[in-house]
Amino acid sequence: MILDAMGDAYADLISDRTLLLIQVHAQSVATVPLIGDALRAGLARITRFAKQRSGAEDRDVQRFMAYGQLCHLVVTSGISDVDADWAHTLTDGLRHPEI
């Protein structure tokens, strides 16, 4: 599936911790008008690209975007290093970079 391949490529991309943290910081200050506008424009572009390139249904594109955010959470929080049931629930089936 095309969205899976795009997700794998994204996992490789966010192995660059600087890029990952820029995205996370932008989300944290999205209430600043210029930053929020740029963030939303980027999300719109990615969403449209994923939908157009994959031909997927809206719900599948939504899931793709949601998994990307979950990867951010797993990587930035170090959840993959936690050996607990709740952590396995969040990380099972995900491929994310080891940073």
Side-chain angles (χ1 to χ4, degrees), residues 4-20:
D4 291 335
M6 292 171 77
D8 286 344
Y10 185 68
D12 291 335
L13 186 65
I14 64 170
S15 66
D16 177 345
R17 187 146 181 98
T18 300
L19 177 62
L20 174 65

Side-chain angles (χ1 to χ4, degrees), residues 27 37-49 65 69:
Q27 290 171 351
D37 289 347
L39 178 65
R40 286 184 291 278
L43 288 169
R45 193 170 126 223
I46 292 165
T47 303
R48 288 185 192 114
F49 178 81
M65 298 296 288
Q69 291 302 302

Side-chain angles (χ1 to χ4, degrees), residues 71-82:
C71 284
H72 280 195
L73 178 67
V74 166
V75 172
T76 59
S77 302
I79 294 172
S80 60
D81 298 329
V82 176

Side-chain angles (χ1 to χ4, degrees), residues 56-97:
E57 298 291 324
D58 286 352
R59 71 179 175 275
D60 294 322
V61 174
Q62 181 188 49
R63 190 173 298 114
F64 168 75
M65 298 296 288
Y67 275 111
Q69 291 302 302
L70 179 57
C71 284
H72 280 195
L73 178 67
V74 166
V75 172
T76 59
S77 302
I79 294 172
S80 60
D81 298 329
V82 176
D83 187 19
D85 290 341
W86 70 268
H88 295 286
T89 297
L90 294 179
T91 60
D92 282 351
L94 289 182
R95 185 178 87 75
H96 52 277

Side-chain angles (χ1 to χ4, degrees), residues 26 29-42:
V29 292
T31 57
V32 175
L34 288 176
I35 296 171
D37 289 347
L39 178 65
R40 286 184 291 278

